[in-house]
Amino acid sequence: MMRTLFGTSFLATLLLAGSFFAGQDPAIANAAPDSSVELGGTGFRLLRLAVPADGRIGDILRKNATISGGFEVMDRRSIPAALIKATDFNKKGWQDIGSESVILADEAGGQFKFRLYDLGAGDKPVLSRGYAATDPLKAANRFMNDVIEHYTKTPGVFGSRIAFVRTNRTPTVTKNVYEVEMNGEAPSAITNNRSLNVLPSIGPGGQVLFTSYAKRNPDLWISSGGAPARVSSQPGLNLGGVMSPDGSTIALTLSKDGNSEIYTIDTSGGIKARLTNNAAIDGSPTWNPGGNQLAFVSSRNGGPQVFRMGSNGSGATRLSKQGNYNQTPDWNPGQGTRGSLVAYAGRDNSNRYDIFAVDAGGGKLTRLTQNPGRNLDPSWSPDGRMIAFQSTVGGLVVANEQGNNQQQIAKAGTTPDWGPRAN
């Protein structure tokens, strides 16, 4: 999955100085959208969905339906007890309370059995599935993915995971890498030490890359489910590693020759190529879906801007055309027109920190967020239809691709990176 590298020049200075100021945000300035920038809109009506199931299964189904952005989920307390307890499906009863769709869930014979009713299609389920009752989270995620596929022809991405960094300030400042499911469930620690572990990136096989100061140098590490292992330990910076879509190559920032440049290495750490070579600071690489291009940040025109280049370093051109400080790009991994979008963070002329997306093909710029606080470090979902980012007001947030339906999945965390679909 593509990585949103946060503040390469800022972080490089701090790491090389041997210090890191906890909780400090990157100095994003003047993304300055003009009147041609469009604010993402809704453009559709939500389906009114009832989920009468109680317990954990019901809670997860309702949470997932809300996060999906396609449903107005009814409060279970507003559903009459007669409908909740009914053994037969009462279409008229559900219509009378304003429901348009209903998800029923039961546990029997060691299985969770789910049924989706579309009241406009009759009184028979339009979708029926059964899953092992050993894992309610996995079962609810799988069914919601099927529900989304029923309505959109593309499966949902519930069960996919987001890596992020959490800061602990006592007794000393430490930063560790965590993962959480995209709905905020099942958090787990990737690192657990007293060092600085930053800039996580999830590879196509679920591997987590990150930069760590555990060996007194900012080295690139990888966790594949066991103990993390060092991948790149060149002198100086080994920052912001991101795997290519096929998992064969890692792009990262190295300063082994004195300047911050983008290189590619193999998964054993062997250098394959140097992609940039100038006096500017270059960093924050992110792969396009085809693996033949990279977006990155460079200061070659003054302040940091988002550029694109071939995966061999050829043909570098500027993508962000407005403002003098734009950074943390993430290339949308989705299909069709989504696959040409590059999200990044910037600050407008009114000092608002927000997320933008630029079309790498036509250059059209869209503003995805416009709400209080700082909105930083965007990362697209594996289907490109949702986006995660850090909000200084809302914690870690997931939203739809227009930046609407913002849902908190963690109260605190920085530099989220959204991994591949769940197996």
Side-chain angles (χ1 to χ4, degrees):
M1 190 62 187
M2 293 58 153
R3 173 64 215 124
T4 60
L5 180 61
F6 126 63
T8 298
S9 59
F10 176 80
L11 182 60
T13 301
L14 294 175
L15 286 172
L16 287 176
S19 62
F20 195 95
F21 298 102
Q24 184 163 347
D25 293 312
I28 303 172
N30 299 324
D34 63 18
S35 59
S36 67
V37 179
E38 296 182 1
L39 181 65
T42 54
F44 61 89
R45 184 180 66 83
L46 302 181
L47 284 174
R48 200 153 191 256
L49 173 69
V51 184
D54 62 358
R56 183 154 168 75
I57 277 289
D59 290 343
I60 297 169
L61 287 171
R62 283 184 287 272
K63 177 193 283 190
N64 287 358
T66 300
I67 291 172
S68 75
F71 301 99
E72 176 192 348
V73 182
M74 298 177 66
D75 188 333
R76 185 176 184 271
R77 294 170 295 182
S78 70
I79 301 174
L83 283 176
I84 293 176
K85 296 177 181 179
T87 56
D88 296 324
F89 184 72
N90 183 352
K91 177 183 174 181
K92 184 178 185 304
W94 289 109
Q95 287 177 323
D96 286 347
I97 66 169
S99 175
E100 295 173 289
S101 298
V102 181
I103 291 177
L104 298 183
D106 303 291
E107 183 178 353
Q111 278 198 326
F112 290 117
K113 296 182 179 180
F114 300 97
R115 299 175 304 284
L116 169 68
Y117 292 86
D118 184 337
L119 300 187
D123 58 2
K124 302 296 182 184
V126 295
L127 191 64
S128 182
R129 296 285 189 273
Y131 307 104
T134 54
D135 190 339
L137 174 60
K138 185 174 183 179
N141 285 343
R142 290 179 63 186
F143 186 67
M144 188 53 62
N145 288 341
D146 290 343
V147 169
I148 292 171
E149 184 175 18
H150 171 77
Y151 285 111
T152 69
K153 310 306 178 186
T154 303
V157 293
F158 288 96
S160 59
R161 298 184 69 80
I162 295 173
F164 64 98
V165 171
R166 181 176 291 162
T167 301
N168 185 12
R169 295 176 175 84
T170 55
T172 59
V173 174
T174 60
K175 290 180 177 286
N176 277 290
V177 176
Y178 291 80
E179 275 191 316
V180 68
E181 287 201 3
M182 60 156 287
N183 57 5
E185 298 285 338
S188 62
I190 302 299
T191 67
N192 184 18
N193 57 45
R194 296 182 179 180
S195 187
L196 304 173
N197 307 276
V198 295
L199 303 175
S201 166
I202 306 181
Q207 316 93 323
V208 180
L209 292 164
F210 58 95
T211 295
S212 177
Y213 221 104
K215 298 293 185 181
R216 299 182 178 273
N217 189 69
D219 298 328
L220 185 69
W221 293 67
I222 187 170
S223 172
S224 300
R230 271 197 296 183
V231 176
S232 178
S233 53
Q234 297 288 341
L237 301 175
N238 300 260
L239 274 182
V242 287
M243 276 192 174
S244 59
D246 66 2
S248 67
T249 302
I250 298 169
L252 78 167
T253 300
L254 299 177
S255 63
K256 66 184 186 66
D257 295 320
N259 193 46
S260 296
E261 304 286 356
I262 298 175
Y263 290 75
T264 53
I265 62 175
D266 60 34
T267 55
S268 298
I271 292 177
K272 299 178 74 171
R274 178 172 176 168
L275 305 188
T276 62
N277 189 1
N278 56 59
I281 294 174
D282 297 317
S284 303
T286 172
W287 296 89
N288 76 329
N292 62 343
Q293 295 185 67
L294 290 159
F296 65 103
V297 172
S298 178
S299 64
R300 62 189 63 185
N301 289 145
Q305 296 291 340
V306 179
F307 287 75
R308 68 188 292 188
M309 63 181 170
S311 58
N312 61 357
S314 63
T317 58
R318 181 171 164 178
L319 281 180
S320 58
K321 301 295 179 62
Q322 299 182 38
N324 60 14
Y325 207 117
N326 300 300
Q327 60 180 18
T328 66
D330 191 54
W331 204 313
N332 192 311
Q335 298 180 348
T337 57
R338 289 187 177 96
S340 67
L341 296 176
V342 178
Y344 63 89
R347 190 181 74 184
D348 67 13
N349 286 334
S350 61
N351 288 336
R352 187 183 297 275
Y353 294 74
D354 275 309
I355 308 300
F356 302 86
V358 62
D359 186 331
K364 180 181 178 182
L365 183 64
T366 303
R367 185 176 192 147
L368 301 185
T369 65
Q370 193 166 12
N371 44 282
R374 297 181 179 93
N375 301 292
L376 307 165
D377 303 315
S379 182
W380 297 103
S381 64
D383 62 354
R385 299 192 300 186
M386 300 183 74
I387 194 165
F389 57 92
Q390 170 200 349
S391 166
T392 57
V393 174
L396 289 187
V397 173
V398 295
N400 66 19
E401 60 189 306
Q402 291 86 25
N404 299 309
N405 191 44
Q406 296 177 15
Q407 303 290 326
Q408 182 188 83
I409 63 165
K411 291 182 178 180
T414 60
T415 60
D417 186 74
W418 204 322
R421 289 181 180 274
N423 294 326

